[in-house]
Amino acid sequence: CKPTIVSYNGLISALVLARRTEEAVVMFEELKEEGFDGTWVTFSQLARAFRNTLEGAEKILLLERIYKLLTRGERTSNVGSPIISLLISAYGALGRYGDAKRVFDSLEGPSDAGCLRAILFACGNTSPPKWEEALGLLHSSDIVGESIGPTHVDAIAVSNAMIACAKADEWEEALQLLRLYGGNRTSIVAFNALIASCGRSGRPDLAMEVLNEMDVFEVTPDTVSFRNAVIACNQAQHAQRLNVKSEATSLFEWW
């Protein structure tokens, strides 16, 4: 009998379960040669093959083989998002923001939470961090997530945008995001990045304030949280001693 999209999805699923990732990609390529378009099930199954298996360039190579075969109808949030978001994240993990943005911009129609999270992760994992782009992408989205904040912006997306701002030492912007959208699903990594950014910017008072407010958001501080707060205080004390020493030296030179 002639193959159908259902039979192809079944074969891809079986190959994924057997951890035969490249063969699953080959099966997708055959599916396309037969004139079929993938469905959400197709791309969800393919995405499973890449979780906790391949990394780096090898992962990107196989994902690109899938991505290059996507039609406009498949490059949408409700069809191809599982693969597209993985490819954006893979480029982001390597600090390749330009490639991540290229893939994100190829989406037809609005983004979903997965793709938004991925591109905001890429914004914070490049050098220098693309904090302005992160804010623009976040504020122009209408993603409704699981946050308990008043605007219900996706909590993981907010966390990734906070991290991008904090890494760029734009602590005011990160703090504003926390005030506007923070909730009990804001990641502890975002809190820790904000505490560290406050410390680097000479604001140990705000670093301690964020640490104390974690309880308000029902997020339990970890060892990194306390360490970053201590470092923030130490940095401020060190800067104060340097200022005192500099003033004393200047006075001695004047005499």
Side-chain angles (χ1 to χ4, degrees):
C1 62
K2 294 183 65 175
T4 65
I5 186 64
V6 175
S7 60
Y8 272 115
N9 285 345
L11 289 170
I12 289 172
S13 178
L15 290 168
V16 170
L17 288 173
R19 295 182 176 273
R20 294 158 66 176
T21 303
E22 187 166 4
E23 291 177 65
V25 174
V26 171
M27 187 60 63
F28 174 75
E29 291 170 334
E30 182 180 317
L31 174 158
K32 298 298 290 184
E33 288 175 3
E34 290 295 322
F36 292 104
D37 279 347
T39 64
W40 174 266
V41 174
T42 311
F43 297 113
S44 296
Q45 292 293 342
L46 285 168
R48 286 177 57 199
F50 291 92
R51 300 192 190 283
N52 304 318
T53 54
L54 302 173
E55 295 295 338
E58 186 180 7
K59 181 176 184 178
I60 286 174
L61 183 63
L62 288 178
L63 285 170
E64 279 284 4
R65 282 171 57 180
I66 299 171
Y67 171 75
K68 288 176 180 178
L69 294 176
L70 300 185
T71 63
R72 289 186 63 182
E74 292 169 316
R75 290 200 310 270
T76 59
S77 296
N78 59 350
V79 179
S81 173
I83 284 295
I84 294 172
S85 60
L86 271 180
L87 183 55
I88 295 170
S89 293
Y91 278 126
L94 296 180
R96 294 170 60 176
Y97 174 76
D99 286 313
K101 189 64 163 54
R102 166 181 59 83
V103 176
F104 181 81
D105 287 342
S106 74
L107 274 170
E108 295 287 337
S111 171
D112 66 350
C115 290
L116 180 63
R117 293 169 180 177
I119 192 62
L120 292 176
F121 162 71
C123 287
N125 205 47
T126 190
S127 183
K130 304 289 185 180
W131 67 274
E132 291 175 304
E133 287 87 342
L135 291 177
L137 288 164
L138 182 69
H139 291 311
S140 62
S141 76
D142 55 358
I143 304 300
V144 177
E146 300 177 52
S147 150
I148 61 171
T151 53
H152 302 289
V153 176
D154 182 76
I156 298 176
V158 170
S159 297
N160 288 347
M162 283 178 60
I163 291 168
C165 293
K167 284 185 173 181
D169 285 339
E170 296 291 336
W171 60 267
E172 298 100 327
E173 298 291 350
L175 188 61
Q176 180 73 356
L177 289 177
L178 179 63
R179 296 282 189 263
L180 286 174
Y181 309 126
N184 61 1
R185 289 182 59 82
T186 303
S187 78
I188 193 167
V189 177
F191 277 104
N192 292 345
L194 176 54
I195 292 170
S197 178
C198 290
R200 289 192 300 270
S201 303
R203 293 301 305 269
D205 55 324
L206 284 174
M208 295 303 299
E209 183 176 318
V210 172
L211 178 67
N212 292 329
E213 282 187 4
M214 291 176 73
D215 286 338
V216 176
F217 292 103
E218 300 178 5
V219 178
T220 304
D222 61 8
T223 55
V224 177
S225 311
F226 292 111
R227 184 185 68 188
N228 287 356
V230 170
I231 291 173
C233 294
N234 289 341
Q235 286 173 328
Q237 290 176 351
H238 180 66
Q240 187 176 22
R241 285 196 296 268
L242 286 177
N243 287 336
V244 170
K245 183 177 179 181
S246 176
E247 291 173 2
T249 301
S250 299
L251 181 62
F252 177 77
E253 289 175 348
W254 184 82
W255 280 103

